[in-house]
Amino acid sequence: MPRKGCGVCETLANRSFVCPNCLNSNVLSDRRQHLQLLQKKRDALLNRLNELFERKKVQREQELERQRLNADVENEAMKALAAQKELKRVKEEVAKLRQSNLSRRTHNEKTQAQLVSTRADMLSNHFPTLLRYQSLTYSHVSAMLLREQKLKLKQLLDILPLRITGLKSGGGSAIQISICGLKVPDSVLAPLTGWQQPEGVSASLGYTLLFLDLMANYMGGPLLHEGSFQGSTTVLWQQQSFWNRRPLSTSAVLPLYLEDSAPGGTIMPSMSSKKSSSPWAALPLARGLSSGEKSMLSRGGSSAADVNPEKQKQNADLFRAFDMLQRSISCFVRDKAVPFNIALPPTWSPVGWLVMLCATLKKDARTEGVLSAASCLTEEGGSGAGPTILWDDVALTGEGNDSGPDAIGPPGG
């Protein structure tokens, strides 16, 4: 069989191939194929071995995780068992304490019943005179206190005369009130024509504050404010606490006065240039208008946008001061109206309630008749503004037909 190869190898008959190509293609081809087959088998076995190793590794990790979880389960089981034992012990202690408390409660109830029975026996058999004496003493002291309060109220009304100047029919308060000859306004919203006497309105607000402070001091009633009476430049504020009567801040001192009114009824309160003894009179006032106060100003004839920011702050402070005064009067009168059974008309202003309280304390029939007529006007007047009935004055001054200092009423009957 002739050999196949290059020309040199073919000329060399019966000799080994010389060139590498002929040697590889003829002599080593079978061995190469066998080696390639073995290499493929080796690679397949190696891949399978690697897969087995990976599976073994995953199994080992899973086994470790299983062992860890089993250990955790055993620990949690031990903890649960310990907690169950502790719960059982606590329940037993609670049951013992409940039984002990029940026994003590039964014993205390029996002891209290015996004490009540003994006390009732002692009070009924041994101390009737002492109880009667204490009751009479309390009644006498209460009567003396009420008499002193009425006397102080008479003196207060002599110094700060609170008068009913007329009756009004329609909605709102049915009486017109003045203090020290100055009309007390129902609102600080200026009329369309402006305030005719702004200093008089400011002074009436100041005298009202002074009257309320003194009456609360004599009668022992609650007030929601602290104030500094300065005539027509009075200020008030909300105290920090019961023990600290100072204001929360300098801007918390509110002016209870006005000095002028701009066209359209816009109020322009400002700090007075007069010197005052109050340490809070000269403090700056910085506060803005709320939405409700802006709407009130708009109903007064001009919008809040027509007023500069400083005037808006002053207007807001005045509204807050007047509202604080009204709420203080309402709180004081409602606190005192309960023991005297005074029915307060819901549509009247707080100052009208204050007049009713003074009339009740002084027991003046004429003024009470005027107030009854005003109540009838309130019930029958409807929502519209009605006519105003004026007379000289109904004075709460103690001059009248009753005996002693309790007489109040219009002059001349």
Side-chain angles (χ1 to χ4, degrees):
M1 180 179 180
R3 296 181 179 181
K4 295 180 180 180
C6 62
V8 177
C9 293
E10 289 179 355
T11 58
L12 299 175
N14 299 323
R15 294 189 178 184
S16 300
F17 291 95
V18 177
C19 64
N21 292 332
C22 292
L23 185 63
N24 289 333
S25 61
N26 293 286
V27 179
L28 300 179
S29 60
D30 296 336
R31 294 182 179 180
R32 184 182 297 108
Q33 292 177 358
H34 183 67
L35 288 175
Q36 290 177 354
L37 181 61
L38 292 177
Q39 187 174 5
K40 290 181 180 179
K41 290 182 179 181
R42 174 186 172 277
D43 293 339
L45 292 175
L46 183 60
N47 292 333
R48 185 179 178 184
L49 185 60
N50 289 333
E51 292 177 358
L52 292 176
F53 282 156
E54 290 295 332
R55 292 179 182 176
K56 192 68 175 178
K57 181 179 179 182
V58 172
Q59 292 177 357
R60 188 181 298 108
E61 292 177 352
Q62 292 177 349
E63 181 65 22
L64 293 176
E65 182 67 17
R66 187 182 67 81
Q67 293 178 1
R68 187 184 65 80
L69 293 176
N70 289 336
D72 293 342
V73 169
E74 292 178 358
N75 293 333
E76 295 298 329
M78 294 177 62
K79 291 181 180 179
L81 183 60
Q84 188 177 3
K85 293 181 180 179
E86 181 67 17
L87 179 61
K88 183 178 179 180
R89 185 186 64 81
V90 171
K91 286 183 177 180
E92 292 176 354
E93 291 183 356
V94 168
K96 292 179 180 179
L97 290 176
R98 184 182 292 110
Q99 186 65 27
S100 175
N101 290 335
L102 183 60
S103 301
R104 293 174 59 187
R105 179 180 179 181
T106 303
H107 176 71
N108 290 337
E109 289 178 351
K110 291 181 180 179
T111 305
Q112 185 177 6
Q114 294 177 359
L115 179 62
V116 171
S117 176
T118 304
R119 181 176 181 273
D121 181 67
M122 295 291 290
L123 291 178
S124 60
N125 298 327
H126 300 281
F127 300 116
T129 304
L130 179 60
L131 289 179
R132 179 63 177 170
Y133 173 76
Q134 291 179 350
S135 177
L136 291 175
T137 302
Y138 176 76
S139 300
H140 179 66
V141 171
S142 299
M144 290 179 62
L145 176 61
L146 184 59
R147 182 176 181 279
E148 289 296 326
Q149 288 176 342
K150 291 181 178 180
L151 180 62
K152 291 296 183 181
L153 180 59
K154 174 190 175 300
Q155 296 173 355
L156 178 61
L157 290 171
D158 289 339
I159 298 173
L160 300 174
L162 189 64
R163 299 174 181 268
I164 302 175
T165 59
L167 296 181
K168 298 182 295 183
S169 62
S173 181
I175 57 177
Q176 290 182 356
I177 304 170
S178 67
I179 183 170
C180 298
L182 301 172
K183 180 181 177 181
V184 180
D186 294 332
S187 172
V188 292
L189 183 64
L192 295 177
T193 58
W195 295 106
Q196 299 298 325
Q197 294 180 347
E199 290 187 357
V201 175
S202 302
S204 67
L205 294 176
Y207 285 130
T208 304
L209 176 68
L210 178 61
F211 185 91
L212 178 63
D213 289 343
L214 293 176
M215 189 172 180
N217 187 25
Y218 298 150
M219 303 299 297
L223 291 181
L224 305 180
H225 69 270
E226 286 291 321
S228 175
F229 172 70
Q230 301 166 179
S232 59
T233 58
T234 300
V235 294
L236 76 165
W237 62 87
Q238 181 73 44
Q239 65 269 22
Q240 296 185 20
S241 64
F242 178 81
W243 307 107
N244 189 355
R245 317 302 289 182
R246 297 167 64 89
L248 297 174
S249 62
T250 56
S251 61
V253 181
L254 305 176
L256 190 63
Y257 61 88
L258 52 92
E259 287 190 356
D260 197 2
S261 59
T266 303
I267 309 167
M268 298 190 301
S270 60
M271 297 299 293
S272 174
S273 59
K274 300 177 182 179
K275 293 184 179 180
S276 171
S277 59
S278 173
W280 311 108
L283 294 177
L285 302 174
R287 192 182 294 271
L289 280 174
S290 65
S291 59
E293 292 160 349
K294 290 180 181 179
S295 62
M296 291 179 68
L297 287 178
S298 300
R299 292 194 299 268
S302 64
S303 64
D306 298 334
V307 187
N308 60 45
E310 183 63 25
K311 291 180 181 178
Q312 290 181 3
K313 295 177 183 178
Q314 294 173 351
N315 293 341
D317 288 340
L318 178 58
F319 276 111
R320 292 189 181 94
F322 187 75
D323 180 69
M324 187 181 299
L325 177 62
Q326 296 283 81
R327 287 188 290 113
S328 291
I329 297 176
S330 301
C331 180
F332 172 75
V333 176
R334 285 188 177 276
D335 178 71
K336 296 302 176 183
V338 175
F340 293 101
N341 296 323
I342 303 176
L344 302 175
T347 58
W348 284 24
S349 66
V351 182
W353 294 351
L354 186 63
V355 172
M356 292 188 66
L357 177 62
C358 294
T360 303
L361 291 176
K362 295 182 66 62
K363 297 185 181 302
D364 179 51
R366 289 176 294 177
T367 303
E368 290 179 354
V370 173
L371 294 175
S372 299
S375 299
C376 293
L377 287 176
T378 302
E379 295 176 357
E380 300 175 359
S383 59
T388 300
I389 306 173
L390 299 176
W391 57 82
D392 289 340
D393 273 336
V394 177
L396 300 168
T397 57
E399 303 294 337
N401 58 345
D402 290 347
S403 60
D406 296 337
I408 55 177

